[in-house]
Amino acid sequence: MAKNGIEKLAVDTIKALAMDAVQKANSGHPGMPMGMAEIAVTLWGRFLKVDPAVPDWPDRDRFVLSNGHGSMLLYSMLHLCGFPLTMDEIRNFRQWGSHTAGHPEIDQKLGIEMTTGPLGQGFATGVGMAIAETHLRARLGEDLVDHRTFGFVSDGDLMEGVSAEAASLAGRFGLGKLIYLYDDNDISIDGSTDITFAEDVPKRFRAQGWHTQEIDGHDLEAIDEALEAAINLEDRPSLIICHTHIAHGAPNAQDTAASHGSPLGDEEVALAKEAMGYPVQPTFHVAPEVYEFFETAMAWGKEERATWASRLETADEDKRALWESLHSPAPVELKGPGFGVGEKMATRSASSKLFAEIAEQVPGFIGGSADLVASTKTVIDPKRRYSPSDRAARDIPFGVREHAMGCITNGLAVHGGLKPYAATFFVFSDYMRPAVRLSALMSAPSVWVWTHDSVFLGEDGPTHQPIEHLPSLRAMPTLWMIRPADAIETLAAWEIALDRHDGPVGLLLTRQDVPVLETDPVGAKKGGYVLQDGDAVTLIASGSEVHVAVDAASILEDQGISTRVVSLPCWELFFEQDEEYRSGVLGSAPRVAIEAASPFGWERIAGQDGLILGIDHFGESAPDTVIAEKLGFTGTAVATRVRDHLSA
Ligand SMILES: Cc1ncc(C[n+]2csc(CCOP(=O)(O)OP(=O)(O)O)c2C)c(N)n1
Ligand SMILES: [Mg+2]
């Protein structure tokens, strides 16, 4: 069969598989796979550098399906190209236990680069993958790192604000190996995009520094030429605007919003297959020539991987050593500058004193802040910044773009070879929350550095003072939230974060000085421990309230009340300890929890009878010491509340 003939059959096969799988599941999104089938066949069949036998080969091209509702398109491509995703999986689309979930879930051993579904996330995360490639290429050389990031994006992706943030940065950074194909089908769920999306997309992207092209998204040769042009352009990211029809080829469903997310119905599926000249039965039919076509198409990628592997074998010793340390990181053991008990130091400052050592021990350590680097104190090398002229720099200036910063950090994390962090004020975690959630959902090892972690940031007032953020992020599965009491626990917290490779960690650091206590890094790594013993009452605190608890304890001790102080920097790690350890730490005396945040959830630790000293209202603008006085977070005030509680 002529190339175009077999490619047409491949396109029809993808359309048929999408219709059949959605029909069988009686749920799903047939419209997008049908509308982007030609684009997928051209990209995967002619351009994408992958090896289905080793899906997670580090120098593969990355493919991001940002419009994750079109998951059947990705599953079809992976299956037809010979990735380990079987036809049984396709038949089990959207079913319990399958690898073909409603929206793609990261599984790089299957070829699924990241989890997508929340629109905009794939777009912005792909920017992070492309940054990772430029950075690693600058450090390891193009013999070992030289790949592209391709993505499919939809109207919804471009409507989401995060795509504007991420596109702006991608343009500024001149990410020439980033190529997105836009499914410009003029349809979203509520109907025509005319209702809500009237901007000039090519102009918008050109203004942000992108190269744009506009083509007929059903014309294989036009897609081919546009990809070729985008690939040849090295200094700018590319957006290929593909004019398409949703549910292309379905006589009645084409161009309708309904085809976005509903099965077409047996009758319409039969009509569509007939119109394409495709067998109506059996369902899930794939002609052997289609498998053969993709097998041939994958051959050069296999060869590329083999020659890449031999280049890695014969690379000079320094490069290989760097490769190893990036891809198989050793456990981290930080010495720190030596923090003296009694010394007063904000935990953000303690953190900053560790950065040089971290950067030396963890060659993949990379990241930045959303225009707050002087406040978050997260600097690896003050003389360098990541830019088109210094791709090897490890400090990434994100600008005031928390959401894209979060996504890009996840992109750096799931790309592989790097250990990324992102920093901003804790209150602005709200602006990055969808990315934080995705880091948790993907078990991506992103590190979220959140400073100014409570009302004690002071004069900036309630807009800048986090209240509900800590409990709300503690509610997020997989994410570990660590709020160290002092410099010593801060060092332990960084070790925990750097050694965690299967999930994200949030570090909560103070703006204000706190004293270095006799804290225990080993106990901190268990999530919580007895800082000082006593048996009449147990004060349990995190972060900057631990020293308040210590002060309160000394007042109570003077009054003859034997007081235990527990430092509890990380609930998630504490709950991982066995019952014996936990009850040993918390003891059987009455419990008092002290944390300058919403008290929500503390009854899990303090018990129903426990006293919880938190903040159930927004903060105030005033110096931190005044706020502490007024809100009762001083040793004296806490001691009084505890005594009243015990005698009540
Ligand atoms: C953040 C987010 N908001 C809302 C949705 C629900 N949703 C899924 S697809 C979609 C829009 C569909 O339009 P488009 O992106 O153009 O995709 P098409 O129908 O053309 O395939 C919406 C609102 C989502 N997945 N993510
Ligand atoms: Mg659309």
Side-chain angles (χ1 to χ4, degrees):
M1 200 182 280
K3 189 171 179 194
N4 272 2
I6 183 69
E7 284 181 317
K8 157 90 169 68
L9 184 59
V11 166
D12 293 345
T13 304
I14 291 163
K15 293 178 178 178
L17 285 177
M19 288 189 285
D20 288 344
V22 171
Q23 207 59 34
K24 177 158 187 278
N26 197 26
S27 79
H29 302 78
M32 179 287 214
M34 298 179 76
M36 293 192 87
E38 285 90 354
I39 301 167
V41 167
T42 312
L43 175 64
W44 288 66
R46 303 190 192 182
F47 292 94
L48 201 67
K49 185 179 77 171
V50 286
D51 179 355
V54 191
D56 58 354
W57 159 41
D59 200 33
R60 68 194 180 278
D61 284 345
R62 302 303 194 268
F63 175 76
V64 175
L65 189 84
S66 193
N67 39 357
H69 56 271
S71 57
M72 257 315 296
L73 181 58
L74 178 58
Y75 303 145
S76 296
M77 294 319 300
L78 293 173
H79 172 71
L80 296 174
C81 291
F83 286 73
L85 192 132
T86 62
M87 184 55 98
D88 279 347
E89 291 282 358
I90 295 205
R91 288 176 184 273
N92 266 329
F93 180 50
R94 294 186 149 234
Q95 303 310 305
W96 182 272
S98 74
H99 289 99
T100 45
H103 295 83
E105 293 177 8
I106 188 168
D107 189 340
Q108 296 182 344
K109 296 221 175 298
L110 278 186
I112 303 171
E113 295 291 353
M114 67 171 291
T115 299
T116 51
L119 290 165
Q121 293 292 312
F123 186 113
T125 306
V127 172
M129 295 180 194
I131 292 175
E133 193 272 346
T134 61
H135 176 75
L136 290 169
R137 178 153 39 95
R139 291 173 67 186
L140 288 158
E142 59 186 13
D143 270 2
L144 299 184
V145 184
D146 185 9
H147 54 266
R148 301 193 168 80
T149 304
F150 293 98
F152 286 2
V153 305
S154 67
D155 297 306
D157 285 301
L158 300 195
M159 283 192 239
E160 290 292 350
V162 71
S163 69
E165 291 182 19
S168 170
L169 211 45
R172 168 64 189 94
F173 288 163
L175 300 174
K177 293 191 174 203
L178 180 68
I179 299 172
Y180 284 166
L181 295 128
Y182 165 33
D183 185 23
D184 186 4
N185 61 11
D186 296 321
I187 284 274
S188 68
I189 296 178
D190 280 356
S192 164
T193 50
D194 278 353
I195 308 167
T196 53
F197 195 45
E199 70 214 42
D200 187 329
V201 170
K203 264 194 193 159
R204 162 182 152 188
F205 274 83
R206 281 201 296 277
Q208 290 187 312
W210 288 56
H211 176 253
T212 64
Q213 303 173 73
E214 268 188 87
I215 58 164
D216 173 354
H218 300 296
D219 177 342
L220 298 181
E221 295 320 313
I223 300 163
D224 181 283
E225 278 169 32
L227 279 167
E228 197 70 50
I231 283 168
N232 286 332
L233 194 114
E234 292 273 312
D235 64 338
R236 271 169 295 164
S238 272
L239 184 72
I240 304 174
I241 296 148
C242 307
H243 295 289
T244 57
H245 297 278
I246 195 165
H248 188 235
N252 302 296
Q254 179 172 318
D255 296 322
T256 64
S259 71
H260 160 88
S262 323
L264 301 187
D266 287 330
E267 207 174 310
E268 179 72 1
V269 172
L271 289 174
K273 287 184 180 174
E274 274 161 15
M276 299 187 298
Y278 203 82
V280 175
Q281 292 293 341
T283 52
F284 299 100
H285 167 73
V286 179
E289 316 76 289
V290 171
Y291 286 121
E292 282 159 25
F293 165 72
F294 282 113
E295 196 180 339
T296 310
M298 294 294 114
W300 78 275
K302 280 180 188 293
E303 227 174 274
E304 286 283 316
R305 193 194 62 79
T307 54
W308 171 87
S310 59
R311 285 199 301 275
L312 179 61
E313 288 272 296
T314 54
D316 64 49
E317 216 167 292
D318 291 358
K319 285 269 166 67
R320 283 199 43 162
L322 178 57
W323 179 274
E324 275 306 305
S325 59
L326 288 166
H327 290 86
S328 314
V332 176
E333 216 171 297
L334 300 173
K335 288 194 192 63
F339 298 118
V341 173
E343 198 180 338
K344 288 199 141 207
M345 186 187 295
T347 53
R348 62 175 171 148
S349 303
S351 161
S352 81
K353 289 184 195 298
L354 303 171
F355 262 58
E357 196 187 352
I358 294 173
E360 203 182 301
Q361 270 195 45
V362 184
F365 191 59
I366 184 169
S369 157
D371 202 44
L372 282 173
V373 84
S375 299
T376 56
K377 295 186 184 284
T378 43
V379 181
I380 295 172
D381 180 347
K383 295 185 293 298
R384 293 175 69 180
R385 263 190 203 137
Y386 177 87
S387 76
S389 54
D390 189 1
R391 301 274 192 211
R394 295 160 72 181
D395 289 275
I396 303 177
F398 288 107
V400 193
R401 299 185 186 92
E402 293 83 6
H403 194 175
M405 172 172 77
C407 299
I408 289 169
T409 301
N410 289 340
L412 297 168
V414 300
H415 177 278
L418 297 172
K419 179 68 186 177
Y421 72 89
T424 186
F425 292 163
F426 189 32
V427 80
F428 301 136
S429 62
D430 283 341
Y431 277 58
M432 51 198 298
R433 192 172 174 111
V436 175
R437 184 167 195 272
L438 212 59
S439 73
L441 195 54
M442 295 194 290
S443 296
S446 304
V447 181
W448 310 117
V449 181
W450 287 309
T451 67
H452 298 58
D453 71 339
S454 76
V455 289
F456 304 124
L457 62 88
E459 295 88 338
D460 274 339
T463 54
H464 284 52
Q465 294 169 354
I467 298 290
E468 72 284 15
H469 302 72
L470 179 48
S472 83
L473 286 163
R474 277 187 185 135
M476 193 179 279
T478 310
L479 174 65
W480 293 352
M481 295 295 285
I482 312 181
R483 187 164 183 251
D486 65 359
I488 295 168
E489 284 193 7
T490 302
L491 184 148
W494 264 114
E495 286 181 340
I496 295 167
L498 294 166
D499 283 342
R500 187 173 194 207
H501 303 298
D502 62 354
V505 176
L507 299 182
L508 298 179
L509 305 174
T510 68
R511 169 185 188 248
Q512 79 280 18
D513 284 346
V514 289
V516 179
L517 304 167
E518 288 183 23
T519 42
D520 170 20
V522 178
K525 288 189 174 184
K526 292 182 175 159
Y529 62 97
V530 177
L531 177 58
Q532 57 191 58
D533 210 358
D535 58 16
V537 64
T538 300
L539 309 186
I540 309 155
S542 80
S544 55
E545 286 68 73
V546 175
H547 78 90
V548 175
V550 169
D551 288 349
S554 90
I555 296 170
L556 292 166
E557 291 277 348
D558 284 348
Q559 295 168 352
I561 302 171
S562 169
T563 304
R564 175 181 293 194
V565 177
V566 170
S567 176
L568 199 75
C570 179
W571 285 21
E572 295 82 9
L573 285 173
F574 188 66
F575 287 137
E576 272 188 11
Q577 308 306 314
D578 58 29
E579 163 61 23
E580 195 185 336
Y581 179 82
R582 280 183 283 138
S583 54
V585 168
L586 297 176
S588 50
R591 294 173 191 170
V592 179
I594 311 158
E595 188 170 74
S598 160
F600 193 86
W602 266 102
E603 59 286 347
R604 291 177 72 192
I605 286 158
Q608 293 303 330
D609 305 329
L611 174 66
I612 301 169
L613 304 180
I615 306 174
D616 58 5
H617 49 79
F618 291 119
E620 294 283 351
S621 170
D624 63 321
T625 49
V626 175
I627 290 176
E629 286 284 335
K630 297 276 187 195
L631 298 186
F633 287 97
T634 62
T636 323
V638 168
T640 307
R641 297 278 306 272
V642 171
R643 220 175 33 245
D644 292 351
H645 176 68
L646 291 177
S647 57

mmCIF file of all heavy atoms in Angstrom, residues 29 31-32 67 69 103 117-120 154-157 159-160 183 185 187-189 193 246 260, ligand 1:
data_model
loop_
_atom_site.group_PDB
_atom_site.id
_atom_site.type_symbol
_atom_site.label_atom_id
_atom_site.label_comp_id
_atom_site.label_asym_id
_atom_site.label_seq_id
_atom_site.Cartn_x
_atom_site.Cartn_y
_atom_site.Cartn_z
ATOM 1 N N HIS A 29 -14.530 10.368 25.458
ATOM 2 C CA HIS A 29 -14.450 11.529 24.567
ATOM 3 C C HIS A 29 -13.999 11.117 23.172
ATOM 4 O O HIS A 29 -12.805 11.094 22.886
ATOM 5 C CB HIS A 29 -13.474 12.546 25.149
ATOM 6 C CG HIS A 29 -13.842 13.010 26.528
ATOM 7 N ND1 HIS A 29 -13.596 12.254 27.660
ATOM 8 C CD2 HIS A 29 -14.448 14.152 26.960
ATOM 9 C CE1 HIS A 29 -14.032 12.909 28.725
ATOM 10 N NE2 HIS A 29 -14.552 14.066 28.328
ATOM 11 N N GLY A 31 -14.626 12.736 20.286
ATOM 12 C CA GLY A 31 -14.469 13.835 19.327
ATOM 13 C C GLY A 31 -13.030 14.222 19.073
ATOM 14 O O GLY A 31 -12.606 14.353 17.922
ATOM 15 N N MET A 32 -12.262 14.404 20.137
ATOM 16 C CA MET A 32 -10.884 14.855 19.970
ATOM 17 C C MET A 32 -10.006 13.834 19.242
ATOM 18 O O MET A 32 -9.324 14.195 18.278
ATOM 19 C CB MET A 32 -10.317 15.261 21.342
ATOM 20 C CG MET A 32 -8.875 15.729 21.319
ATOM 21 S SD MET A 32 -7.688 14.385 21.061
ATOM 22 C CE MET A 32 -6.343 14.927 22.022
ATOM 23 N N ASN A 67 -4.652 18.103 26.217
ATOM 24 C CA ASN A 67 -6.108 17.892 26.206
ATOM 25 C C ASN A 67 -6.375 16.429 26.557
ATOM 26 O O ASN A 67 -6.788 15.623 25.720
ATOM 27 C CB ASN A 67 -6.744 18.289 24.871
ATOM 28 C CG ASN A 67 -5.888 17.913 23.659
ATOM 29 O OD1 ASN A 67 -4.774 17.396 23.813
ATOM 30 N ND2 ASN A 67 -6.394 18.157 22.467
ATOM 31 N N HIS A 69 -8.556 14.764 27.899
ATOM 32 C CA HIS A 69 -9.840 14.073 27.653
ATOM 33 C C HIS A 69 -9.762 13.224 26.387
ATOM 34 O O HIS A 69 -10.497 12.262 26.241
ATOM 35 C CB HIS A 69 -11.003 15.074 27.584
ATOM 36 C CG HIS A 69 -10.833 16.154 26.568
ATOM 37 N ND1 HIS A 69 -10.212 17.347 26.856
ATOM 38 C CD2 HIS A 69 -11.187 16.237 25.254
ATOM 39 C CE1 HIS A 69 -10.212 18.120 25.765
ATOM 40 N NE2 HIS A 69 -10.794 17.458 24.785
ATOM 41 N N HIS A 103 -8.617 9.762 32.000
ATOM 42 C CA HIS A 103 -7.598 10.713 31.579
ATOM 43 C C HIS A 103 -6.238 10.073 31.821
ATOM 44 O O HIS A 103 -6.085 9.317 32.780
ATOM 45 C CB HIS A 103 -7.747 12.028 32.351
ATOM 46 C CG HIS A 103 -9.034 12.749 32.034
ATOM 47 N ND1 HIS A 103 -10.233 12.440 32.636
ATOM 48 C CD2 HIS A 103 -9.305 13.741 31.146
ATOM 49 C CE1 HIS A 103 -11.186 13.215 32.138
ATOM 50 N NE2 HIS A 103 -10.663 14.012 31.222
ATOM 51 N N GLY A 117 -5.468 16.190 32.173
ATOM 52 C CA GLY A 117 -6.924 16.199 32.327
ATOM 53 C C GLY A 117 -7.353 17.565 32.812
ATOM 54 O O GLY A 117 -8.236 18.183 32.209
ATOM 55 N N PRO A 118 -6.725 18.067 33.877
ATOM 56 C CA PRO A 118 -6.997 19.465 34.227
ATOM 57 C C PRO A 118 -6.382 20.358 33.143
ATOM 58 O O PRO A 118 -5.153 20.382 32.979
ATOM 59 C CB PRO A 118 -6.288 19.654 35.574
ATOM 60 C CG PRO A 118 -5.957 18.269 36.062
ATOM 61 C CD PRO A 118 -5.801 17.430 34.825
ATOM 62 N N LEU A 119 -7.209 21.032 32.381
ATOM 63 C CA LEU A 119 -6.714 21.754 31.207
ATOM 64 C C LEU A 119 -5.668 22.789 31.588
ATOM 65 O O LEU A 119 -5.731 23.400 32.650
ATOM 66 C CB LEU A 119 -7.885 22.406 30.478
ATOM 67 C CG LEU A 119 -8.808 21.390 29.782
ATOM 68 C CD1 LEU A 119 -10.136 22.038 29.394
ATOM 69 C CD2 LEU A 119 -8.136 20.793 28.555
ATOM 70 N N GLY A 120 -4.697 22.978 30.728
ATOM 71 C CA GLY A 120 -3.624 23.939 30.952
ATOM 72 C C GLY A 120 -2.394 23.321 31.588
ATOM 73 O O GLY A 120 -1.265 23.772 31.371
ATOM 74 N N SER A 154 -5.562 22.159 23.337
ATOM 75 C CA SER A 154 -6.913 22.421 22.823
ATOM 76 C C SER A 154 -7.364 23.834 23.169
ATOM 77 O O SER A 154 -6.660 24.583 23.856
ATOM 78 C CB SER A 154 -7.889 21.415 23.425
ATOM 79 O OG SER A 154 -7.996 21.648 24.822
ATOM 80 N N ASP A 155 -8.556 24.170 22.716
ATOM 81 C CA ASP A 155 -9.128 25.484 23.056
ATOM 82 C C ASP A 155 -9.106 25.696 24.568
ATOM 83 O O ASP A 155 -8.724 26.760 25.053
ATOM 84 C CB ASP A 155 -10.585 25.558 22.569
ATOM 85 C CG ASP A 155 -10.691 25.451 21.054
ATOM 86 O OD1 ASP A 155 -10.032 26.228 20.355
ATOM 87 O OD2 ASP A 155 -11.442 24.568 20.584
ATOM 88 N N GLY A 156 -9.542 24.659 25.288
ATOM 89 C CA GLY A 156 -9.595 24.782 26.750
ATOM 90 C C GLY A 156 -8.220 25.069 27.334
ATOM 91 O O GLY A 156 -8.076 25.879 28.256
ATOM 92 N N ASP A 157 -7.192 24.387 26.802
ATOM 93 C CA ASP A 157 -5.830 24.636 27.295
ATOM 94 C C ASP A 157 -5.434 26.091 27.113
ATOM 95 O O ASP A 157 -4.812 26.695 27.982
ATOM 96 C CB ASP A 157 -4.823 23.762 26.537
ATOM 97 C CG ASP A 157 -4.863 22.320 26.983
ATOM 98 O OD1 ASP A 157 -4.635 22.080 28.180
ATOM 99 O OD2 ASP A 157 -5.105 21.439 26.137
ATOM 100 N N MET A 159 -7.463 28.643 26.790
ATOM 101 C CA MET A 159 -8.298 29.558 27.567
ATOM 102 C C MET A 159 -7.796 29.650 28.997
ATOM 103 O O MET A 159 -7.941 30.687 29.641
ATOM 104 C CB MET A 159 -9.747 29.070 27.562
ATOM 105 C CG MET A 159 -10.497 29.353 26.271
ATOM 106 S SD MET A 159 -12.272 29.046 26.519
ATOM 107 C CE MET A 159 -12.567 27.802 25.292
ATOM 108 N N GLU A 160 -7.254 28.567 29.523
ATOM 109 C CA GLU A 160 -6.763 28.577 30.903
ATOM 110 C C GLU A 160 -5.597 29.564 31.040
ATOM 111 O O GLU A 160 -4.667 29.561 30.236
ATOM 112 C CB GLU A 160 -6.292 27.174 31.325
ATOM 113 C CG GLU A 160 -7.406 26.164 31.492
ATOM 114 C CD GLU A 160 -8.326 26.462 32.692
ATOM 115 O OE1 GLU A 160 -8.002 27.348 33.505
ATOM 116 O OE2 GLU A 160 -9.370 25.794 32.784
ATOM 117 N N ASP A 183 -5.316 22.032 18.549
ATOM 118 C CA ASP A 183 -6.535 21.472 17.963
ATOM 119 C C ASP A 183 -7.582 22.584 17.875
ATOM 120 O O ASP A 183 -8.470 22.690 18.720
ATOM 121 C CB ASP A 183 -7.020 20.324 18.873
ATOM 122 C CG ASP A 183 -8.206 19.581 18.309
ATOM 123 O OD1 ASP A 183 -8.410 19.613 17.083
ATOM 124 O OD2 ASP A 183 -8.935 18.943 19.104
ATOM 125 N N ASN A 185 -10.530 23.579 16.820
ATOM 126 C CA ASN A 185 -11.761 23.039 16.237
ATOM 127 C C ASN A 185 -12.979 23.915 16.508
ATOM 128 O O ASN A 185 -14.115 23.530 16.195
ATOM 129 C CB ASN A 185 -12.004 21.597 16.726
ATOM 130 C CG ASN A 185 -12.155 21.515 18.229
ATOM 131 O OD1 ASN A 185 -12.292 22.525 18.904
ATOM 132 N ND2 ASN A 185 -12.131 20.295 18.757
ATOM 133 N N ILE A 187 -14.658 24.458 18.978
ATOM 134 C CA ILE A 187 -15.716 23.862 19.811
ATOM 135 C C ILE A 187 -15.170 23.608 21.210
ATOM 136 O O ILE A 187 -14.043 23.146 21.370
ATOM 137 C CB ILE A 187 -16.155 22.487 19.213
ATOM 138 C CG1 ILE A 187 -17.048 22.668 17.981
ATOM 139 C CG2 ILE A 187 -16.856 21.621 20.237
ATOM 140 C CD1 ILE A 187 -18.519 22.839 18.259
ATOM 141 N N SER A 188 -15.968 23.950 22.197
ATOM 142 C CA SER A 188 -15.711 23.423 23.540
ATOM 143 C C SER A 188 -17.045 22.905 24.074
ATOM 144 O O SER A 188 -18.005 22.789 23.302
ATOM 145 C CB SER A 188 -15.053 24.476 24.439
ATOM 146 O OG SER A 188 -15.951 25.526 24.714
ATOM 147 N N ILE A 189 -17.108 22.572 25.336
ATOM 148 C CA ILE A 189 -18.290 21.834 25.811
ATOM 149 C C ILE A 189 -19.582 22.647 25.672
ATOM 150 O O ILE A 189 -20.627 22.125 25.293
ATOM 151 C CB ILE A 189 -18.099 21.384 27.277
ATOM 152 C CG1 ILE A 189 -16.932 20.391 27.350
ATOM 153 C CG2 ILE A 189 -19.372 20.747 27.824
ATOM 154 C CD1 ILE A 189 -16.617 19.901 28.746
ATOM 155 N N THR A 193 -16.712 28.119 20.188
ATOM 156 C CA THR A 193 -15.783 28.954 20.961
ATOM 157 C C THR A 193 -16.034 30.442 20.717
ATOM 158 O O THR A 193 -15.523 31.274 21.456
ATOM 159 C CB THR A 193 -14.321 28.614 20.630
ATOM 160 O OG1 THR A 193 -14.168 28.630 19.210
ATOM 161 C CG2 THR A 193 -13.917 27.264 21.173
ATOM 162 N N ILE A 246 -14.001 18.549 15.090
ATOM 163 C CA ILE A 246 -14.204 17.562 16.145
ATOM 164 C C ILE A 246 -15.056 16.419 15.570
ATOM 165 O O ILE A 246 -15.923 16.658 14.722
ATOM 166 C CB ILE A 246 -14.853 18.209 17.396
ATOM 167 C CG1 ILE A 246 -14.720 17.275 18.611
ATOM 168 C CG2 ILE A 246 -16.296 18.614 17.152
ATOM 169 C CD1 ILE A 246 -14.986 17.955 19.947
ATOM 170 N N HIS A 260 -17.859 15.912 21.970
ATOM 171 C CA HIS A 260 -16.698 16.093 22.853
ATOM 172 C C HIS A 260 -16.641 14.987 23.900
ATOM 173 O O HIS A 260 -15.610 14.343 24.062
ATOM 174 C CB HIS A 260 -16.768 17.462 23.552
ATOM 175 C CG HIS A 260 -15.933 17.530 24.788
ATOM 176 N ND1 HIS A 260 -14.617 17.894 24.751
ATOM 177 C CD2 HIS A 260 -16.209 17.232 26.088
ATOM 178 C CE1 HIS A 260 -14.118 17.832 25.992
ATOM 179 N NE2 HIS A 260 -15.073 17.435 26.808
HETATM 180 C C1 LIG B 1 -9.197 22.970 34.473
HETATM 181 C C2 LIG B 1 -10.302 22.267 33.782
HETATM 182 N N1 LIG B 1 -11.505 22.843 33.719
HETATM 183 C C3 LIG B 1 -12.531 22.215 33.143
HETATM 184 C C4 LIG B 1 -12.378 20.976 32.608
HETATM 185 C C5 LIG B 1 -13.574 20.250 31.996
HETATM 186 N N2 LIG B 1 -13.388 20.226 30.534
HETATM 187 C C6 LIG B 1 -12.850 19.173 29.898
HETATM 188 S S1 LIG B 1 -12.609 19.462 28.276
HETATM 189 C C7 LIG B 1 -13.258 21.019 28.397
HETATM 190 C C8 LIG B 1 -13.286 21.936 27.230
HETATM 191 C C9 LIG B 1 -13.411 21.240 25.946
HETATM 192 O O1 LIG B 1 -13.043 22.068 24.900
HETATM 193 P P1 LIG B 1 -11.668 21.889 24.182
HETATM 194 O O2 LIG B 1 -10.581 22.084 25.147
HETATM 195 O O3 LIG B 1 -11.698 22.782 23.017
HETATM 196 O O4 LIG B 1 -11.645 20.383 23.760
HETATM 197 P P2 LIG B 1 -12.440 19.707 22.551
HETATM 198 O O5 LIG B 1 -13.862 19.571 22.978
HETATM 199 O O6 LIG B 1 -12.277 20.585 21.377
HETATM 200 O O7 LIG B 1 -11.778 18.396 22.410
HETATM 201 C C10 LIG B 1 -13.652 21.277 29.703
HETATM 202 C C11 LIG B 1 -14.271 22.543 30.146
HETATM 203 C C12 LIG B 1 -11.101 20.395 32.694
HETATM 204 N N3 LIG B 1 -10.841 19.182 32.205
HETATM 205 N N4 LIG B 1 -10.078 21.073 33.251
#
